[in-house]
Amino acid sequence: MKISLGPQTLIYPNPVLIVGSYDNAGKANVMTAAWGGIVCSDPPCVSVSLRKATYTFGNIAERKAFTISIPSEHHVKEADHFGIKSGRNEDKFSMTRLTPVKSEIVDAPYVKEFPVVLECRLLHMHELGLHTQFVGQIMDVKIEEDVAGEGGRPDIRKIRPFVYDHSSMAYYGIGGVVGKAFKIGNEL
Amino acid sequence: MKISLGPQTLIYPNPVLIVGSYDNAGKANVMTAAWGGIVCSDPPCVSVSLRKATYTFGNIAERKAFTISIPSEHHVKEADHFGIKSGRNEDKFSMTRLTPVKSEIVDAPYVKEFPVVLECRLLHMHELGLHTQFVGQIMDVKIEEDVAGEGGRPDIRKIRPFVYDHSSMAYYGIGGVVGKAFKIGNEL
């Protein structure tokens, strides 16, 4: 039997997206966002939803560009830190001793030490309420060479991304394979 | 060093969202989508991106409502099946022996056997290209009582959701805790 919890933002899984942008003085900033994901295959687009109060909001609106860096478990502390502090009051790269890399494709920085990076130009801003959704066209995806697996494709077991559980406010790793997509469903 | 993969829809993790809708004859249908997630905290909103070619697209555009059911690992075959077949040619509930439940709040059905359900009314449709993004206001969240944990809150270890890896086209389970959010980042 089902229990009603009322309206709330519950879903599984939430990603941990590190959004990179430049402020108007050219300082690299990053923030952590869990409200986002892929939204279109062609053109390839990703979205991330931000509150107007964030420093990143103004940066992206101004520069029309952002990056998304996906952290591995090794950097869970840094990824969490990026979601606690504001770039208004702190240089998050100096604080975490991570390295901003200027994208050669879009006007935004990404995190050198993180294994997967999406470089995006801003296509749309959708006002939804407390959050505004920024839709970016993915101009390139870059991965660290040591997370490439079979055929040069990114290997999730080497990337070791993690998920955010909003209910327990904890991060969880990725477990084992539970099935092949577009295949296991044919067994029925 | 980073390798360029070109523009593509890579992100970690992708969710496995089972989108429920009624067709114009009132037949319950479900389809699997990986392009979606929470997009706003207030009002609480979720988005899911669909191609015009899907049966679900017309259903939601017509009924202005949909549900999202989150499957557990136990039902990975059924969840995958929902993404392989089309509701135009098959009654997916009969085929998988799962049960459609008519929402009392919105004009859409959800999957009785799945542990977490979001009931949504359509707020926006954003044309992005191959995909159109459907933004729904979450009117209620329901969970199966046996997945409630501490304080009645949903327990991810009982829900056992899984993620979709687009690179290897496989589903992965959720692993162990790697840190407490809004906390472990203060250790730096």
Side-chain angles (χ1 to χ4, degrees):
Chain A
M1 190 174 140
K2 290 215 160 39
I3 310 165
S4 169
L5 302 182
Q8 54 178 275
T9 50
L10 187 75
I11 211 165
Y12 297 96
N14 287 296
V16 179
L17 308 175
I18 308 301
V19 185
S21 64
Y22 284 121
D23 71 9
N24 56 20
K27 187 183 78 171
N29 187 44
V30 272
M31 72 165 279
T32 311
W35 297 169
I38 298 296
V39 290
C40 187
S41 294
D42 186 15
C45 292
V46 64
S47 88
V48 61
S49 291
L50 304 175
R51 288 175 297 113
K52 285 199 176 67
T54 61
Y55 198 50
T56 298
F57 189 105
N59 292 354
I60 301 179
E62 181 75 25
R63 300 270 183 152
K64 314 290 185 203
F66 63 94
T67 64
I68 290 181
S69 302
I70 308 285
S72 80
E73 287 186 13
H74 307 299
H75 287 113
V76 63
K77 283 185 189 178
E78 288 80 359
D80 189 50
H81 187 89
F82 292 159
I84 295 173
K85 303 295 181 175
S86 170
R88 271 193 199 87
N89 317 312
E90 179 183 301
D91 181 329
K92 297 191 200 177
F93 280 102
S94 300
M95 183 66 196
T96 55
R97 301 184 185 191
L98 293 178
T99 317
V101 176
K102 182 173 170 50
S103 165
E104 292 178 2
I105 301 174
V106 302
D107 189 15
Y110 61 84
V111 184
K112 182 182 179 184
E113 290 81 0
F114 288 3
V116 177
V117 171
L118 283 62
E119 296 161 280
C120 309
R121 71 182 184 96
L122 183 63
L123 280 190
H124 306 287
M125 286 174 64
H126 298 137
E127 303 271 352
L128 299 176
L130 182 61
H131 286 80
T132 300
Q133 184 183 46
F134 290 75
V135 175
Q137 182 175 350
I138 303 167
M139 307 305 290
D140 195 24
V141 173
K142 290 182 170 64
I143 63 169
E144 204 55 39
E145 56 189 348
D146 64 4
V147 301
E150 207 179 330
R153 296 184 63 77
D155 183 337
I156 193 173
R157 292 159 302 180
K158 294 179 178 177
I159 294 167
R160 301 184 69 180
F162 51 96
V163 312
Y164 169 61
D165 173 27
H166 195 47
S167 180
S168 65
M169 290 204 180
Y171 302 113
Y172 285 79
I174 302 294
V177 174
V178 297
K180 288 294 288 180
F182 308 108
K183 192 166 182 184
I184 194 172
N186 285 322
E187 291 177 16
L188 285 174
Chain B
M1 189 171 139
K2 289 215 162 35
I3 308 165
S4 169
L5 301 182
Q8 55 179 275
T9 51
L10 186 77
I11 211 164
Y12 297 95
N14 287 296
V16 179
L17 308 175
I18 308 302
V19 186
S21 64
Y22 285 121
D23 72 9
N24 55 21
K27 187 182 78 171
N29 188 43
V30 272
M31 71 166 278
T32 311
W35 297 169
I38 298 295
V39 290
C40 188
S41 295
D42 186 15
C45 292
V46 64
S47 88
V48 62
S49 291
L50 305 174
R51 287 174 299 113
K52 286 199 177 67
T54 62
Y55 198 50
T56 299
F57 189 106
N59 292 355
I60 300 178
E62 182 75 23
R63 301 269 183 153
K64 313 289 185 204
F66 63 95
T67 64
I68 290 181
S69 301
I70 308 287
S72 81
E73 288 184 15
H74 307 298
H75 288 112
V76 64
K77 283 184 190 178
E78 289 80 358
D80 190 50
H81 187 90
F82 292 158
I84 295 173
K85 303 294 182 178
S86 171
R88 270 192 200 91
N89 317 311
E90 179 182 303
D91 182 329
K92 297 192 200 178
F93 280 102
S94 300
M95 184 65 195
T96 54
R97 301 181 184 193
L98 293 178
T99 316
V101 177
K102 185 174 169 50
S103 165
E104 293 178 2
I105 301 175
V106 301
D107 188 14
Y110 60 84
V111 185
K112 182 181 179 187
E113 290 80 0
F114 289 4
V116 176
V117 171
L118 283 63
E119 295 161 282
C120 309
R121 71 182 183 96
L122 182 63
L123 279 190
H124 306 286
M125 285 173 65
H126 298 138
E127 303 272 352
L128 298 176
L130 182 62
H131 285 80
T132 300
Q133 183 181 48
F134 291 74
V135 175
Q137 181 175 353
I138 304 166
M139 307 305 291
D140 194 23
V141 172
K142 291 183 169 61
I143 62 169
E144 204 55 39
E145 56 189 347
D146 65 5
V147 301
E150 206 179 331
R153 297 184 62 75
D155 184 337
I156 193 172
R157 293 160 303 183
K158 295 179 177 176
I159 295 167
R160 300 184 67 181
F162 51 95
V163 312
Y164 169 60
D165 173 27
H166 194 46
S167 180
S168 65
M169 290 202 179
Y171 302 113
Y172 286 79
I174 302 294
V177 173
V178 298
K180 288 295 288 180
F182 308 107
K183 193 165 178 184
I184 193 172
N186 286 322
E187 291 177 15
L188 284 175

Short mmCIF file of all heavy atoms in Angstrom, two decimals, chain B residues 6-41:
data_model
loop_
_atom_site.label_atom_id
_atom_site.label_comp_id
_atom_site.label_asym_id
_atom_site.label_seq_id
_atom_site.Cartn_x
_atom_site.Cartn_y
_atom_site.Cartn_z
N GLY B 6 33.77 14.89 -28.61
CA GLY B 6 32.78 15.58 -29.46
C GLY B 6 31.48 15.77 -28.71
O GLY B 6 31.32 15.31 -27.58
N PRO B 7 30.52 16.46 -29.35
CA PRO B 7 29.24 16.73 -28.68
C PRO B 7 28.44 15.44 -28.54
O PRO B 7 28.25 14.73 -29.54
CB PRO B 7 28.53 17.69 -29.66
CG PRO B 7 29.51 18.03 -30.72
CD PRO B 7 30.60 17.03 -30.71
N GLN B 8 28.01 15.13 -27.34
CA GLN B 8 27.15 13.96 -27.14
C GLN B 8 26.44 14.06 -25.80
O GLN B 8 26.78 14.90 -24.97
CB GLN B 8 27.95 12.67 -27.23
CG GLN B 8 29.14 12.56 -26.31
CD GLN B 8 29.84 11.21 -26.50
OE1 GLN B 8 29.46 10.22 -25.89
NE2 GLN B 8 30.85 11.18 -27.35
N THR B 9 25.47 13.19 -25.62
CA THR B 9 24.63 13.24 -24.41
C THR B 9 25.17 12.32 -23.32
O THR B 9 24.57 11.31 -22.98
CB THR B 9 23.18 12.83 -24.75
OG1 THR B 9 23.24 11.58 -25.47
CG2 THR B 9 22.50 13.87 -25.60
N LEU B 10 26.32 12.73 -22.78
CA LEU B 10 26.93 11.93 -21.71
C LEU B 10 26.76 12.65 -20.39
O LEU B 10 27.09 13.83 -20.28
CB LEU B 10 28.42 11.73 -22.00
CG LEU B 10 29.14 10.79 -21.03
CD1 LEU B 10 28.81 9.34 -21.36
CD2 LEU B 10 30.65 11.01 -21.07
N ILE B 11 26.26 11.97 -19.38
CA ILE B 11 26.21 12.52 -18.03
C ILE B 11 26.07 11.36 -17.06
O ILE B 11 25.64 10.27 -17.45
CB ILE B 11 25.05 13.55 -17.88
CG1 ILE B 11 25.41 14.62 -16.86
CG2 ILE B 11 23.74 12.86 -17.52
CD1 ILE B 11 24.53 15.85 -16.91
N TYR B 12 26.45 11.59 -15.82
CA TYR B 12 26.32 10.57 -14.77
C TYR B 12 25.69 11.21 -13.57
O TYR B 12 26.13 12.27 -13.15
CB TYR B 12 27.70 10.02 -14.39
CG TYR B 12 28.37 9.33 -15.52
CD1 TYR B 12 29.28 10.00 -16.33
CD2 TYR B 12 28.08 8.01 -15.81
CE1 TYR B 12 29.89 9.36 -17.40
CE2 TYR B 12 28.69 7.36 -16.88
CZ TYR B 12 29.59 8.04 -17.67
OH TYR B 12 30.18 7.41 -18.72
N PRO B 13 24.70 10.54 -12.96
CA PRO B 13 23.99 9.38 -13.47
C PRO B 13 22.76 9.82 -14.27
O PRO B 13 22.28 10.92 -14.08
CB PRO B 13 23.54 8.70 -12.18
CG PRO B 13 23.23 9.86 -11.28
CD PRO B 13 24.21 10.95 -11.64
N ASN B 14 22.26 8.95 -15.14
CA ASN B 14 20.94 9.14 -15.73
C ASN B 14 19.91 8.35 -14.93
O ASN B 14 20.17 7.22 -14.55
CB ASN B 14 20.89 8.61 -17.17
CG ASN B 14 21.64 9.50 -18.13
OD1 ASN B 14 21.29 10.63 -18.34
ND2 ASN B 14 22.71 8.95 -18.69
N PRO B 15 18.73 8.94 -14.72
CA PRO B 15 17.66 8.21 -14.03
C PRO B 15 16.93 7.25 -14.98
O PRO B 15 17.13 7.30 -16.20
CB PRO B 15 16.73 9.32 -13.59
CG PRO B 15 16.85 10.35 -14.67
CD PRO B 15 18.30 10.29 -15.14
N VAL B 16 16.11 6.41 -14.42
CA VAL B 16 15.23 5.52 -15.19
C VAL B 16 13.81 5.88 -14.75
O VAL B 16 13.35 5.47 -13.68
CB VAL B 16 15.55 4.03 -14.92
CG1 VAL B 16 14.61 3.13 -15.71
CG2 VAL B 16 17.01 3.73 -15.26
N LEU B 17 13.16 6.69 -15.58
CA LEU B 17 11.84 7.25 -15.22
C LEU B 17 10.76 6.57 -16.03
O LEU B 17 10.82 6.54 -17.27
CB LEU B 17 11.83 8.75 -15.51
CG LEU B 17 12.99 9.57 -14.91
CD1 LEU B 17 12.92 11.02 -15.39
CD2 LEU B 17 12.97 9.49 -13.39
N ILE B 18 9.77 6.02 -15.35
CA ILE B 18 8.66 5.36 -16.04
C ILE B 18 7.49 6.35 -16.08
O ILE B 18 6.88 6.66 -15.06
CB ILE B 18 8.27 4.06 -15.32
CG1 ILE B 18 9.51 3.17 -15.11
CG2 ILE B 18 7.17 3.34 -16.11
CD1 ILE B 18 10.27 2.79 -16.35
N VAL B 19 7.22 6.84 -17.29
CA VAL B 19 6.25 7.91 -17.49
C VAL B 19 4.89 7.31 -17.81
O VAL B 19 4.75 6.58 -18.81
CB VAL B 19 6.70 8.83 -18.65
CG1 VAL B 19 5.76 10.04 -18.77
CG2 VAL B 19 8.14 9.29 -18.45
N GLY B 20 3.90 7.60 -16.99
CA GLY B 20 2.55 7.05 -17.16
C GLY B 20 1.59 8.07 -17.75
O GLY B 20 1.61 9.24 -17.37
N SER B 21 0.76 7.61 -18.69
CA SER B 21 -0.23 8.51 -19.32
C SER B 21 -1.40 7.68 -19.83
O SER B 21 -1.30 6.46 -19.99
CB SER B 21 0.40 9.28 -20.48
OG SER B 21 0.81 8.38 -21.51
N TYR B 22 -2.51 8.36 -20.12
CA TYR B 22 -3.66 7.72 -20.78
C TYR B 22 -3.73 8.16 -22.22
O TYR B 22 -3.51 9.34 -22.54
CB TYR B 22 -4.97 8.13 -20.10
CG TYR B 22 -5.23 7.46 -18.77
CD1 TYR B 22 -5.39 8.22 -17.62
CD2 TYR B 22 -5.33 6.07 -18.67
CE1 TYR B 22 -5.64 7.61 -16.39
CE2 TYR B 22 -5.57 5.46 -17.45
CZ TYR B 22 -5.73 6.22 -16.32
OH TYR B 22 -5.98 5.63 -15.10
N ASP B 23 -4.07 7.24 -23.12
CA ASP B 23 -4.31 7.64 -24.51
C ASP B 23 -5.76 8.11 -24.65
O ASP B 23 -6.52 8.13 -23.67
CB ASP B 23 -3.92 6.53 -25.50
CG ASP B 23 -4.88 5.34 -25.50
OD1 ASP B 23 -5.95 5.41 -24.86
OD2 ASP B 23 -4.55 4.34 -26.16
N ASN B 24 -6.16 8.50 -25.87
CA ASN B 24 -7.49 9.10 -26.00
C ASN B 24 -8.63 8.09 -25.86
O ASN B 24 -9.78 8.47 -25.70
CB ASN B 24 -7.61 9.95 -27.29
CG ASN B 24 -7.25 9.14 -28.52
OD1 ASN B 24 -7.29 7.91 -28.48
ND2 ASN B 24 -6.90 9.83 -29.60
N ALA B 25 -8.28 6.78 -25.85
CA ALA B 25 -9.29 5.77 -25.57
C ALA B 25 -9.30 5.40 -24.08
O ALA B 25 -10.05 4.53 -23.65
CB ALA B 25 -9.02 4.53 -26.42
N GLY B 26 -8.42 6.04 -23.31
CA GLY B 26 -8.38 5.76 -21.88
C GLY B 26 -7.50 4.58 -21.51
O GLY B 26 -7.52 4.11 -20.36
N LYS B 27 -6.71 4.09 -22.48
CA LYS B 27 -5.80 2.98 -22.17
C LYS B 27 -4.56 3.52 -21.46
O LYS B 27 -3.96 4.51 -21.89
CB LYS B 27 -5.37 2.26 -23.47
CG LYS B 27 -4.55 0.99 -23.20
CD LYS B 27 -4.09 0.31 -24.48
CE LYS B 27 -2.89 1.02 -25.08
NZ LYS B 27 -2.27 0.28 -26.20
N ALA B 28 -4.20 2.83 -20.37
CA ALA B 28 -3.01 3.24 -19.61
C ALA B 28 -1.76 2.83 -20.36
O ALA B 28 -1.66 1.70 -20.86
CB ALA B 28 -3.03 2.57 -18.23
N ASN B 29 -0.80 3.75 -20.44
CA ASN B 29 0.47 3.44 -21.09
C ASN B 29 1.61 3.93 -20.21
O ASN B 29 1.46 4.82 -19.39
CB ASN B 29 0.55 4.11 -22.48
CG ASN B 29 1.77 3.66 -23.25
OD1 ASN B 29 2.09 2.47 -23.26
ND2 ASN B 29 2.48 4.58 -23.87
N VAL B 30 2.77 3.32 -20.41
CA VAL B 30 3.99 3.73 -19.72
C VAL B 30 5.15 3.66 -20.69
O VAL B 30 5.16 2.82 -21.60
CB VAL B 30 4.34 2.81 -18.52
CG1 VAL B 30 3.66 3.29 -17.25
CG2 VAL B 30 3.99 1.35 -18.80
N MET B 31 6.10 4.56 -20.52
CA MET B 31 7.33 4.47 -21.30
C MET B 31 8.51 4.85 -20.40
O MET B 31 8.34 5.52 -19.38
CB MET B 31 7.31 5.36 -22.54
CG MET B 31 7.41 6.84 -22.27
SD MET B 31 7.79 7.80 -23.79
CE MET B 31 9.58 7.60 -23.89
N THR B 32 9.68 4.39 -20.79
CA THR B 32 10.89 4.62 -20.01
C THR B 32 11.63 5.81 -20.60
O THR B 32 11.79 5.90 -21.82
CB THR B 32 11.79 3.38 -20.08
OG1 THR B 32 10.97 2.24 -19.80
CG2 THR B 32 12.93 3.45 -19.10
N ALA B 33 12.07 6.71 -19.73
CA ALA B 33 12.82 7.89 -20.18
C ALA B 33 14.01 8.11 -19.27
O ALA B 33 13.93 7.91 -18.05
CB ALA B 33 11.92 9.12 -20.18
N ALA B 34 15.12 8.50 -19.87
CA ALA B 34 16.33 8.77 -19.09
C ALA B 34 16.70 10.25 -19.08
O ALA B 34 17.57 10.68 -18.34
CB ALA B 34 17.50 7.97 -19.64
N TRP B 35 16.03 11.03 -19.95
CA TRP B 35 16.32 12.47 -20.02
C TRP B 35 15.31 13.20 -19.14
O TRP B 35 14.23 13.57 -19.59
CB TRP B 35 16.23 12.98 -21.45
CG TRP B 35 17.14 12.48 -22.52
CD1 TRP B 35 16.98 12.73 -23.86
CD2 TRP B 35 18.35 11.73 -22.43
NE1 TRP B 35 18.02 12.17 -24.58
CE2 TRP B 35 18.87 11.54 -23.72
CE3 TRP B 35 19.08 11.16 -21.35
CZ2 TRP B 35 20.06 10.83 -23.99
CZ3 TRP B 35 20.24 10.45 -21.61
CH2 TRP B 35 20.71 10.30 -22.92
N GLY B 36 15.64 13.38 -17.88
CA GLY B 36 14.72 14.07 -16.98
C GLY B 36 15.26 14.18 -15.58
O GLY B 36 16.36 13.70 -15.28
N GLY B 37 14.48 14.84 -14.74
CA GLY B 37 14.87 15.00 -13.33
C GLY B 37 14.14 16.18 -12.71
O GLY B 37 13.30 16.81 -13.35
N ILE B 38 14.46 16.45 -11.46
CA ILE B 38 13.86 17.60 -10.76
C ILE B 38 14.40 18.89 -11.39
O ILE B 38 15.59 18.98 -11.70
CB ILE B 38 14.21 17.55 -9.26
CG1 ILE B 38 13.63 16.28 -8.60
CG2 ILE B 38 13.71 18.81 -8.54
CD1 ILE B 38 12.13 16.18 -8.57
N VAL B 39 13.52 19.88 -11.58
CA VAL B 39 13.95 21.14 -12.20
C VAL B 39 13.60 22.38 -11.38
O VAL B 39 14.07 23.48 -11.69
CB VAL B 39 13.40 21.30 -13.63
CG1 VAL B 39 14.06 20.32 -14.59
CG2 VAL B 39 11.88 21.15 -13.68
N CYS B 40 12.78 22.23 -10.35
CA CYS B 40 12.44 23.40 -9.52
C CYS B 40 11.97 22.93 -8.15
O CYS B 40 11.29 21.92 -8.04
CB CYS B 40 11.32 24.21 -10.20
SG CYS B 40 10.97 25.79 -9.39
N SER B 41 12.36 23.68 -7.11
CA SER B 41 11.96 23.31 -5.75
C SER B 41 10.59 23.88 -5.36
O SER B 41 9.87 23.27 -4.58
CB SER B 41 13.00 23.82 -4.74
OG SER B 41 14.23 23.18 -4.93
#
